[in-house]
PDB file of all heavy atoms in Angstrom:
ATOM      1  N   PRO A   1      85.019 153.540  62.271  1.00 82.00           N
ATOM      2  CA  PRO A   1      85.417 154.256  61.052  1.00 82.00           C
ATOM      3  C   PRO A   1      86.475 153.507  60.241  1.00 82.00           C
ATOM      4  O   PRO A   1      87.354 154.094  59.639  1.00 82.00           O
ATOM      5  CB  PRO A   1      85.971 155.576  61.603  1.00 82.00           C
ATOM      6  CG  PRO A   1      86.499 155.230  62.946  1.00 82.00           C
ATOM      7  CD  PRO A   1      85.576 154.151  63.461  1.00 82.00           C
ATOM      8  N   VAL A   2      86.411 152.188  60.206  1.00 85.00           N
ATOM      9  CA  VAL A   2      87.375 151.385  59.456  1.00 85.00           C
ATOM     10  C   VAL A   2      87.158 151.598  57.965  1.00 85.00           C
ATOM     11  O   VAL A   2      86.039 151.853  57.514  1.00 85.00           O
ATOM     12  CB  VAL A   2      87.258 149.891  59.850  1.00 85.00           C
ATOM     13  CG1 VAL A   2      86.000 149.266  59.302  1.00 85.00           C
ATOM     14  CG2 VAL A   2      88.464 149.102  59.403  1.00 85.00           C
ATOM     15  N   SER A   3      88.243 151.539  57.202  1.00 87.00           N
ATOM     16  CA  SER A   3      88.146 151.728  55.753  1.00 87.00           C
ATOM     17  C   SER A   3      89.053 150.729  55.040  1.00 87.00           C
ATOM     18  O   SER A   3      89.726 149.917  55.679  1.00 87.00           O
ATOM     19  CB  SER A   3      88.547 153.153  55.376  1.00 87.00           C
ATOM     20  OG  SER A   3      89.947 153.310  55.452  1.00 87.00           O
ATOM     21  N   GLU A   4      89.098 150.822  53.729  1.00 90.00           N
ATOM     22  CA  GLU A   4      89.965 149.963  52.911  1.00 90.00           C
ATOM     23  C   GLU A   4      91.423 150.116  53.333  1.00 90.00           C
ATOM     24  O   GLU A   4      92.218 149.185  53.207  1.00 90.00           O
ATOM     25  CB  GLU A   4      89.780 150.311  51.434  1.00 90.00           C
ATOM     26  CG  GLU A   4      90.643 149.508  50.490  1.00 90.00           C
ATOM     27  CD  GLU A   4      90.326 148.016  50.463  1.00 90.00           C
ATOM     28  OE1 GLU A   4      89.175 147.628  50.741  1.00 90.00           O
ATOM     29  OE2 GLU A   4      91.251 147.233  50.161  1.00 90.00           O
ATOM     30  N   LEU A   5      91.780 151.271  53.870  1.00 91.00           N
ATOM     31  CA  LEU A   5      93.153 151.516  54.330  1.00 91.00           C
ATOM     32  C   LEU A   5      93.546 150.587  55.481  1.00 91.00           C
ATOM     33  O   LEU A   5      94.725 150.369  55.731  1.00 91.00           O
ATOM     34  CB  LEU A   5      93.308 152.972  54.784  1.00 91.00           C
ATOM     35  CG  LEU A   5      93.122 154.026  53.700  1.00 91.00           C
ATOM     36  CD1 LEU A   5      93.087 155.407  54.326  1.00 91.00           C
ATOM     37  CD2 LEU A   5      94.223 153.922  52.662  1.00 91.00           C
ATOM     38  N   ASP A   6      92.557 150.044  56.168  1.00 92.00           N
ATOM     39  CA  ASP A   6      92.806 149.181  57.324  1.00 92.00           C
ATOM     40  C   ASP A   6      92.834 147.698  56.973  1.00 92.00           C
ATOM     41  O   ASP A   6      92.926 146.856  57.860  1.00 92.00           O
ATOM     42  CB  ASP A   6      91.725 149.430  58.388  1.00 92.00           C
ATOM     43  CG  ASP A   6      91.695 150.866  58.827  1.00 92.00           C
ATOM     44  OD1 ASP A   6      92.752 151.386  59.208  1.00 92.00           O
ATOM     45  OD2 ASP A   6      90.605 151.472  58.790  1.00 92.00           O
ATOM     46  N   ARG A   7      92.793 147.389  55.692  1.00 95.00           N
ATOM     47  CA  ARG A   7      92.702 145.986  55.262  1.00 95.00           C
ATOM     48  C   ARG A   7      93.834 145.128  55.825  1.00 95.00           C
ATOM     49  O   ARG A   7      93.596 144.035  56.356  1.00 95.00           O
ATOM     50  CB  ARG A   7      92.698 145.907  53.736  1.00 95.00           C
ATOM     51  CG  ARG A   7      92.609 144.483  53.242  1.00 95.00           C
ATOM     52  CD  ARG A   7      92.757 144.400  51.720  1.00 95.00           C
ATOM     53  NE  ARG A   7      92.786 143.018  51.330  1.00 95.00           N
ATOM     54  CZ  ARG A   7      91.862 142.439  50.594  1.00 95.00           C
ATOM     55  NH1 ARG A   7      90.846 143.133  50.149  1.00 95.00           N
ATOM     56  NH2 ARG A   7      91.966 141.165  50.294  1.00 95.00           N
ATOM     57  N   ALA A   8      95.061 145.597  55.743  1.00 96.00           N
ATOM     58  CA  ALA A   8      96.199 144.806  56.231  1.00 96.00           C
ATOM     59  C   ALA A   8      96.088 144.566  57.730  1.00 96.00           C
ATOM     60  O   ALA A   8      96.381 143.464  58.214  1.00 96.00           O
ATOM     61  CB  ALA A   8      97.517 145.497  55.893  1.00 96.00           C
ATOM     62  N   LEU A   9      95.642 145.580  58.467  1.00 96.00           N
ATOM     63  CA  LEU A   9      95.492 145.428  59.911  1.00 96.00           C
ATOM     64  C   LEU A   9      94.406 144.408  60.248  1.00 96.00           C
ATOM     65  O   LEU A   9      94.571 143.591  61.152  1.00 96.00           O
ATOM     66  CB  LEU A   9      95.171 146.788  60.545  1.00 96.00           C
ATOM     67  CG  LEU A   9      95.210 146.860  62.062  1.00 96.00           C
ATOM     68  CD1 LEU A   9      96.585 146.489  62.609  1.00 96.00           C
ATOM     69  CD2 LEU A   9      94.821 148.255  62.518  1.00 96.00           C
ATOM     70  N   VAL A  10      93.327 144.425  59.492  1.00 96.00           N
ATOM     71  CA  VAL A  10      92.258 143.441  59.690  1.00 96.00           C
ATOM     72  C   VAL A  10      92.784 142.040  59.379  1.00 96.00           C
ATOM     73  O   VAL A  10      92.495 141.077  60.094  1.00 96.00           O
ATOM     74  CB  VAL A  10      91.009 143.771  58.843  1.00 96.00           C
ATOM     75  CG1 VAL A  10      89.956 142.679  58.973  1.00 96.00           C
ATOM     76  CG2 VAL A  10      90.429 145.121  59.247  1.00 96.00           C
ATOM     77  N   GLU A  11      93.584 141.913  58.327  1.00 97.00           N
ATOM     78  CA  GLU A  11      94.175 140.617  57.983  1.00 97.00           C
ATOM     79  C   GLU A  11      95.098 140.123  59.095  1.00 97.00           C
ATOM     80  O   GLU A  11      95.074 138.939  59.441  1.00 97.00           O
ATOM     81  CB  GLU A  11      94.954 140.711  56.677  1.00 97.00           C
ATOM     82  CG  GLU A  11      94.080 140.772  55.454  1.00 97.00           C
ATOM     83  CD  GLU A  11      94.890 140.802  54.170  1.00 97.00           C
ATOM     84  OE1 GLU A  11      95.947 140.143  54.093  1.00 97.00           O
ATOM     85  OE2 GLU A  11      94.442 141.473  53.226  1.00 97.00           O
ATOM     86  N   VAL A  12      95.909 141.026  59.645  1.00 98.00           N
ATOM     87  CA  VAL A  12      96.801 140.647  60.751  1.00 98.00           C
ATOM     88  C   VAL A  12      95.971 140.147  61.923  1.00 98.00           C
ATOM     89  O   VAL A  12      96.274 139.107  62.515  1.00 98.00           O
ATOM     90  CB  VAL A  12      97.704 141.830  61.177  1.00 98.00           C
ATOM     91  CG1 VAL A  12      98.412 141.544  62.490  1.00 98.00           C
ATOM     92  CG2 VAL A  12      98.713 142.138  60.083  1.00 98.00           C
ATOM     93  N   TYR A  13      94.914 140.870  62.256  1.00 97.00           N
ATOM     94  CA  TYR A  13      94.035 140.451  63.351  1.00 97.00           C
ATOM     95  C   TYR A  13      93.457 139.054  63.078  1.00 97.00           C
ATOM     96  O   TYR A  13      93.497 138.178  63.940  1.00 97.00           O
ATOM     97  CB  TYR A  13      92.900 141.465  63.559  1.00 97.00           C
ATOM     98  CG  TYR A  13      91.839 140.938  64.489  1.00 97.00           C
ATOM     99  CD1 TYR A  13      91.987 141.040  65.859  1.00 97.00           C
ATOM    100  CD2 TYR A  13      90.706 140.298  63.999  1.00 97.00           C
ATOM    101  CE1 TYR A  13      91.036 140.521  66.720  1.00 97.00           C
ATOM    102  CE2 TYR A  13      89.755 139.775  64.836  1.00 97.00           C
ATOM    103  CZ  TYR A  13      89.919 139.891  66.197  1.00 97.00           C
ATOM    104  OH  TYR A  13      88.983 139.345  67.044  1.00 97.00           O
ATOM    105  N   CYS A  14      92.924 138.857  61.889  1.00 98.00           N
ATOM    106  CA  CYS A  14      92.279 137.582  61.550  1.00 98.00           C
ATOM    107  C   CYS A  14      93.281 136.426  61.550  1.00 98.00           C
ATOM    108  O   CYS A  14      92.972 135.329  62.026  1.00 98.00           O
ATOM    109  CB  CYS A  14      91.574 137.684  60.205  1.00 98.00           C
ATOM    110  SG  CYS A  14      90.148 138.792  60.240  1.00 98.00           S
ATOM    111  N   ASN A  15      94.481 136.659  61.024  1.00 98.00           N
ATOM    112  CA  ASN A  15      95.505 135.609  61.032  1.00 98.00           C
ATOM    113  C   ASN A  15      95.967 135.291  62.453  1.00 98.00           C
ATOM    114  O   ASN A  15      96.188 134.121  62.788  1.00 98.00           O
ATOM    115  CB  ASN A  15      96.687 136.004  60.154  1.00 98.00           C
ATOM    116  CG  ASN A  15      96.370 135.854  58.685  1.00 98.00           C
ATOM    117  OD1 ASN A  15      95.689 134.927  58.273  1.00 98.00           O
ATOM    118  ND2 ASN A  15      96.856 136.781  57.885  1.00 98.00           N
ATOM    119  N   ALA A  16      96.091 136.322  63.287  1.00 98.00           N
ATOM    120  CA  ALA A  16      96.467 136.085  64.686  1.00 98.00           C
ATOM    121  C   ALA A  16      95.365 135.310  65.396  1.00 98.00           C
ATOM    122  O   ALA A  16      95.648 134.419  66.211  1.00 98.00           O
ATOM    123  CB  ALA A  16      96.737 137.406  65.400  1.00 98.00           C
ATOM    124  N   PHE A  17      94.112 135.612  65.080  1.00 98.00           N
ATOM    125  CA  PHE A  17      92.997 134.895  65.666  1.00 98.00           C
ATOM    126  C   PHE A  17      93.041 133.417  65.277  1.00 98.00           C
ATOM    127  O   PHE A  17      92.869 132.529  66.127  1.00 98.00           O
ATOM    128  CB  PHE A  17      91.666 135.519  65.232  1.00 98.00           C
ATOM    129  CG  PHE A  17      90.469 134.813  65.783  1.00 98.00           C
ATOM    130  CD1 PHE A  17      90.034 135.063  67.072  1.00 98.00           C
ATOM    131  CD2 PHE A  17      89.786 133.888  65.017  1.00 98.00           C
ATOM    132  CE1 PHE A  17      88.933 134.392  67.589  1.00 98.00           C
ATOM    133  CE2 PHE A  17      88.690 133.214  65.520  1.00 98.00           C
ATOM    134  CZ  PHE A  17      88.257 133.468  66.814  1.00 98.00           C
ATOM    135  N   ALA A  18      93.308 133.145  63.998  1.00 98.00           N
ATOM    136  CA  ALA A  18      93.404 131.759  63.527  1.00 98.00           C
ATOM    137  C   ALA A  18      94.571 131.036  64.213  1.00 98.00           C
ATOM    138  O   ALA A  18      94.443 129.866  64.598  1.00 98.00           O
ATOM    139  CB  ALA A  18      93.568 131.720  62.013  1.00 98.00           C
ATOM    140  N   GLN A  19      95.697 131.722  64.381  1.00 98.00           N
ATOM    141  CA  GLN A  19      96.853 131.132  65.054  1.00 98.00           C
ATOM    142  C   GLN A  19      96.518 130.828  66.513  1.00 98.00           C
ATOM    143  O   GLN A  19      96.873 129.779  67.039  1.00 98.00           O
ATOM    144  CB  GLN A  19      98.067 132.072  64.971  1.00 98.00           C
ATOM    145  CG  GLN A  19      99.332 131.502  65.560  1.00 98.00           C
ATOM    146  CD  GLN A  19      99.865 130.306  64.793  1.00 98.00           C
ATOM    147  OE1 GLN A  19      99.539 130.103  63.631  1.00 98.00           O
ATOM    148  NE2 GLN A  19     100.687 129.516  65.445  1.00 98.00           N
ATOM    149  N   TYR A  20      95.831 131.745  67.160  1.00 98.00           N
ATOM    150  CA  TYR A  20      95.406 131.545  68.543  1.00 98.00           C
ATOM    151  C   TYR A  20      94.522 130.294  68.661  1.00 98.00           C
ATOM    152  O   TYR A  20      94.711 129.467  69.559  1.00 98.00           O
ATOM    153  CB  TYR A  20      94.649 132.780  69.044  1.00 98.00           C
ATOM    154  CG  TYR A  20      93.818 132.524  70.266  1.00 98.00           C
ATOM    155  CD1 TYR A  20      94.417 132.390  71.516  1.00 98.00           C
ATOM    156  CD2 TYR A  20      92.436 132.405  70.177  1.00 98.00           C
ATOM    157  CE1 TYR A  20      93.646 132.134  72.641  1.00 98.00           C
ATOM    158  CE2 TYR A  20      91.670 132.154  71.290  1.00 98.00           C
ATOM    159  CZ  TYR A  20      92.275 132.023  72.524  1.00 98.00           C
ATOM    160  OH  TYR A  20      91.524 131.764  73.634  1.00 98.00           O
ATOM    161  N   LYS A  21      93.558 130.153  67.756  1.00 97.00           N
ATOM    162  CA  LYS A  21      92.661 128.992  67.799  1.00 97.00           C
ATOM    163  C   LYS A  21      93.427 127.692  67.575  1.00 97.00           C
ATOM    164  O   LYS A  21      93.157 126.690  68.235  1.00 97.00           O
ATOM    165  CB  LYS A  21      91.536 129.144  66.763  1.00 97.00           C
ATOM    166  CG  LYS A  21      90.610 130.302  67.022  1.00 97.00           C
ATOM    167  CD  LYS A  21      89.970 130.256  68.390  1.00 97.00           C
ATOM    168  CE  LYS A  21      88.763 129.366  68.409  1.00 97.00           C
ATOM    169  NZ  LYS A  21      88.085 129.338  69.714  1.00 97.00           N
ATOM    170  N   LEU A  22      94.399 127.689  66.646  1.00 97.00           N
ATOM    171  CA  LEU A  22      95.223 126.508  66.410  1.00 97.00           C
ATOM    172  C   LEU A  22      95.983 126.133  67.680  1.00 97.00           C
ATOM    173  O   LEU A  22      95.982 124.968  68.095  1.00 97.00           O
ATOM    174  CB  LEU A  22      96.204 126.761  65.271  1.00 97.00           C
ATOM    175  CG  LEU A  22      97.315 125.718  65.117  1.00 97.00           C
ATOM    176  CD1 LEU A  22      96.758 124.407  64.593  1.00 97.00           C
ATOM    177  CD2 LEU A  22      98.412 126.237  64.216  1.00 97.00           C
ATOM    178  N   CYS A  23      96.625 127.114  68.282  1.00 97.00           N
ATOM    179  CA  CYS A  23      97.405 126.856  69.499  1.00 97.00           C
ATOM    180  C   CYS A  23      96.512 126.368  70.632  1.00 97.00           C
ATOM    181  O   CYS A  23      96.880 125.445  71.368  1.00 97.00           O
ATOM    182  CB  CYS A  23      98.149 128.113  69.935  1.00 97.00           C
ATOM    183  SG  CYS A  23      99.431 128.623  68.780  1.00 97.00           S
ATOM    184  N   GLU A  24      95.350 126.966  70.755  1.00 97.00           N
ATOM    185  CA  GLU A  24      94.406 126.559  71.787  1.00 97.00           C
ATOM    186  C   GLU A  24      94.011 125.090  71.616  1.00 97.00           C
ATOM    187  O   GLU A  24      93.987 124.314  72.582  1.00 97.00           O
ATOM    188  CB  GLU A  24      93.167 127.458  71.716  1.00 97.00           C
ATOM    189  CG  GLU A  24      92.130 127.160  72.771  1.00 97.00           C
ATOM    190  CD  GLU A  24      90.922 128.055  72.609  1.00 97.00           C
ATOM    191  OE1 GLU A  24      90.387 128.164  71.480  1.00 97.00           O
ATOM    192  OE2 GLU A  24      90.512 128.638  73.618  1.00 97.00           O
ATOM    193  N   ARG A  25      93.725 124.688  70.375  1.00 97.00           N
ATOM    194  CA  ARG A  25      93.379 123.279  70.109  1.00 97.00           C
ATOM    195  C   ARG A  25      94.528 122.350  70.472  1.00 97.00           C
ATOM    196  O   ARG A  25      94.329 121.297  71.082  1.00 97.00           O
ATOM    197  CB  ARG A  25      93.014 123.094  68.636  1.00 97.00           C
ATOM    198  CG  ARG A  25      91.596 123.398  68.295  1.00 97.00           C
ATOM    199  CD  ARG A  25      91.214 122.903  66.904  1.00 97.00           C
ATOM    200  NE  ARG A  25      92.115 123.327  65.853  1.00 97.00           N
ATOM    201  CZ  ARG A  25      92.036 124.485  65.212  1.00 97.00           C
ATOM    202  NH1 ARG A  25      91.095 125.347  65.513  1.00 97.00           N
ATOM    203  NH2 ARG A  25      92.890 124.789  64.260  1.00 97.00           N
ATOM    204  N   GLU A  26      95.747 122.728  70.081  1.00 97.00           N
ATOM    205  CA  GLU A  26      96.915 121.891  70.354  1.00 97.00           C
ATOM    206  C   GLU A  26      97.163 121.738  71.852  1.00 97.00           C
ATOM    207  O   GLU A  26      97.456 120.638  72.330  1.00 97.00           O
ATOM    208  CB  GLU A  26      98.158 122.450  69.659  1.00 97.00           C
ATOM    209  CG  GLU A  26      98.117 122.369  68.157  1.00 97.00           C
ATOM    210  CD  GLU A  26      98.062 120.945  67.628  1.00 97.00           C
ATOM    211  OE1 GLU A  26      98.668 120.042  68.224  1.00 97.00           O
ATOM    212  OE2 GLU A  26      97.397 120.740  66.593  1.00 97.00           O
ATOM    213  N   VAL A  27      97.050 122.839  72.581  1.00 97.00           N
ATOM    214  CA  VAL A  27      97.261 122.773  74.039  1.00 97.00           C
ATOM    215  C   VAL A  27      96.142 121.958  74.684  1.00 97.00           C
ATOM    216  O   VAL A  27      96.402 121.143  75.577  1.00 97.00           O
ATOM    217  CB  VAL A  27      97.359 124.182  74.651  1.00 97.00           C
ATOM    218  CG1 VAL A  27      97.357 124.124  76.171  1.00 97.00           C
ATOM    219  CG2 VAL A  27      98.613 124.897  74.146  1.00 97.00           C
ATOM    220  N   ASN A  28      94.921 122.146  74.237  1.00 97.00           N
ATOM    221  CA  ASN A  28      93.811 121.358  74.787  1.00 97.00           C
ATOM    222  C   ASN A  28      93.986 119.869  74.485  1.00 97.00           C
ATOM    223  O   ASN A  28      93.639 119.018  75.309  1.00 97.00           O
ATOM    224  CB  ASN A  28      92.474 121.847  74.245  1.00 97.00           C
ATOM    225  CG  ASN A  28      92.056 123.157  74.858  1.00 97.00           C
ATOM    226  OD1 ASN A  28      92.509 123.546  75.922  1.00 97.00           O
ATOM    227  ND2 ASN A  28      91.191 123.870  74.166  1.00 97.00           N
ATOM    228  N   HIS A  29      94.527 119.556  73.310  1.00 97.00           N
ATOM    229  CA  HIS A  29      94.712 118.160  72.916  1.00 97.00           C
ATOM    230  C   HIS A  29      95.896 117.508  73.637  1.00 97.00           C
ATOM    231  O   HIS A  29      95.790 116.399  74.161  1.00 97.00           O
ATOM    232  CB  HIS A  29      94.908 118.065  71.401  1.00 97.00           C
ATOM    233  CG  HIS A  29      95.102 116.667  70.915  1.00 97.00           C
ATOM    234  ND1 HIS A  29      96.338 116.118  70.728  1.00 97.00           N
ATOM    235  CD2 HIS A  29      94.199 115.701  70.581  1.00 97.00           C
ATOM    236  CE1 HIS A  29      96.211 114.875  70.306  1.00 97.00           C
ATOM    237  NE2 HIS A  29      94.914 114.602  70.198  1.00 97.00           N
ATOM    238  N   ASP A  30      97.048 118.211  73.637  1.00 96.00           N
ATOM    239  CA  ASP A  30      98.279 117.615  74.161  1.00 96.00           C
ATOM    240  C   ASP A  30      98.561 117.950  75.616  1.00 96.00           C
ATOM    241  O   ASP A  30      99.400 117.307  76.241  1.00 96.00           O
ATOM    242  CB  ASP A  30      99.484 118.063  73.318  1.00 96.00           C
ATOM    243  CG  ASP A  30      99.381 117.587  71.883  1.00 96.00           C
ATOM    244  OD1 ASP A  30      98.706 116.571  71.631  1.00 96.00           O
ATOM    245  OD2 ASP A  30      99.975 118.245  71.002  1.00 96.00           O
ATOM    246  N   GLY A  31      97.916 118.979  76.131  1.00 95.00           N
ATOM    247  CA  GLY A  31      98.144 119.385  77.510  1.00 95.00           C
ATOM    248  C   GLY A  31      99.200 120.472  77.615  1.00 95.00           C
ATOM    249  O   GLY A  31      99.889 120.812  76.655  1.00 95.00           O
ATOM    250  N   VAL A  32      99.337 120.995  78.808  1.00 96.00           N
ATOM    251  CA  VAL A  32     100.277 122.079  79.079  1.00 96.00           C
ATOM    252  C   VAL A  32     101.709 121.559  79.077  1.00 96.00           C
ATOM    253  O   VAL A  32     102.637 122.252  78.682  1.00 96.00           O
ATOM    254  CB  VAL A  32      99.933 122.756  80.420  1.00 96.00           C
ATOM    255  CG1 VAL A  32     100.951 123.814  80.792  1.00 96.00           C
ATOM    256  CG2 VAL A  32      98.532 123.354  80.372  1.00 96.00           C
ATOM    257  N   VAL A  33     101.880 120.330  79.491  1.00 96.00           N
ATOM    258  CA  VAL A  33     103.202 119.696  79.533  1.00 96.00           C
ATOM    259  C   VAL A  33     103.226 118.571  78.504  1.00 96.00           C
ATOM    260  O   VAL A  33     102.291 117.775  78.417  1.00 96.00           O
ATOM    261  CB  VAL A  33     103.507 119.144  80.939  1.00 96.00           C
ATOM    262  CG1 VAL A  33     104.834 118.429  80.973  1.00 96.00           C
ATOM    263  CG2 VAL A  33     103.471 120.263  81.975  1.00 96.00           C
ATOM    264  N   VAL A  34     104.301 118.543  77.701  1.00 96.00           N
ATOM    265  CA  VAL A  34     104.464 117.502  76.682  1.00 96.00           C
ATOM    266  C   VAL A  34     105.828 116.848  76.855  1.00 96.00           C
ATOM    267  O   VAL A  34     106.697 117.358  77.560  1.00 96.00           O
ATOM    268  CB  VAL A  34     104.324 118.080  75.247  1.00 96.00           C
ATOM    269  CG1 VAL A  34     102.921 118.605  75.019  1.00 96.00           C
ATOM    270  CG2 VAL A  34     105.351 119.150  74.982  1.00 96.00           C
ATOM    271  N   THR A  35     106.015 115.742  76.187  1.00 94.00           N
ATOM    272  CA  THR A  35     107.303 115.041  76.229  1.00 94.00           C
ATOM    273  C   THR A  35     108.136 115.483  75.037  1.00 94.00           C
ATOM    274  O   THR A  35     107.681 115.427  73.889  1.00 94.00           O
ATOM    275  CB  THR A  35     107.085 113.515  76.192  1.00 94.00           C
ATOM    276  OG1 THR A  35     106.217 113.154  77.261  1.00 94.00           O
ATOM    277  CG2 THR A  35     108.398 112.772  76.330  1.00 94.00           C
ATOM    278  N   SER A  36     109.350 115.928  75.315  1.00 93.00           N
ATOM    279  CA  SER A  36     110.240 116.392  74.246  1.00 93.00           C
ATOM    280  C   SER A  36     110.832 115.202  73.499  1.00 93.00           C
ATOM    281  O   SER A  36     110.635 114.042  73.884  1.00 93.00           O
ATOM    282  CB  SER A  36     111.368 117.249  74.830  1.00 93.00           C
ATOM    283  OG  SER A  36     112.280 116.432  75.531  1.00 93.00           O
ATOM    284  N   ALA A  37     111.593 115.491  72.453  1.00 92.00           N
ATOM    285  CA  ALA A  37     112.243 114.450  71.655  1.00 92.00           C
ATOM    286  C   ALA A  37     113.232 113.645  72.486  1.00 92.00           C
ATOM    287  O   ALA A  37     113.496 112.475  72.193  1.00 92.00           O
ATOM    288  CB  ALA A  37     112.951 115.074  70.456  1.00 92.00           C
ATOM    289  N   THR A  38     113.768 114.265  73.542  1.00 95.00           N
ATOM    290  CA  THR A  38     114.726 113.563  74.406  1.00 95.00           C
ATOM    291  C   THR A  38     114.045 112.805  75.535  1.00 95.00           C
ATOM    292  O   THR A  38     114.717 112.169  76.335  1.00 95.00           O
ATOM    293  CB  THR A  38     115.739 114.560  75.011  1.00 95.00           C
ATOM    294  OG1 THR A  38     115.020 115.516  75.803  1.00 95.00           O
ATOM    295  CG2 THR A  38     116.539 115.255  73.923  1.00 95.00           C
ATOM    296  N   GLY A  39     112.704 112.894  75.603  1.00 95.00           N
ATOM    297  CA  GLY A  39     111.967 112.153  76.612  1.00 95.00           C
ATOM    298  C   GLY A  39     111.706 112.924  77.895  1.00 95.00           C
ATOM    299  O   GLY A  39     111.119 112.374  78.832  1.00 95.00           O
TER     300      GLY A  39
END
């Protein structure tokens, strides 16, 4: 029963999904452990 009133919530969901995918790519690329600026 979603309506136009739920638009902001749908946007929040979609933006969080995009953020999740970005983070997933970065972790897959760089690994779970990375080297900090101090080495």
Side-chain angles (χ1 to χ4, degrees):
V2 72
S3 75
E4 179 65 27
L5 296 171
D6 302 307
R7 180 186 175 115
L9 190 59
V10 175
E11 285 183 36
V12 168
Y13 169 84
C14 292
N15 284 322
F17 179 81
Q19 184 66 21
Y20 162 75
K21 296 304 277 182
L22 168 71
C23 294
E24 182 182 50
R25 275 193 308 275
E26 292 297 325
V27 171
N28 286 339
H29 180 265
D30 297 335
V32 175
V33 177
V34 295
T35 305
S36 72
T38 61

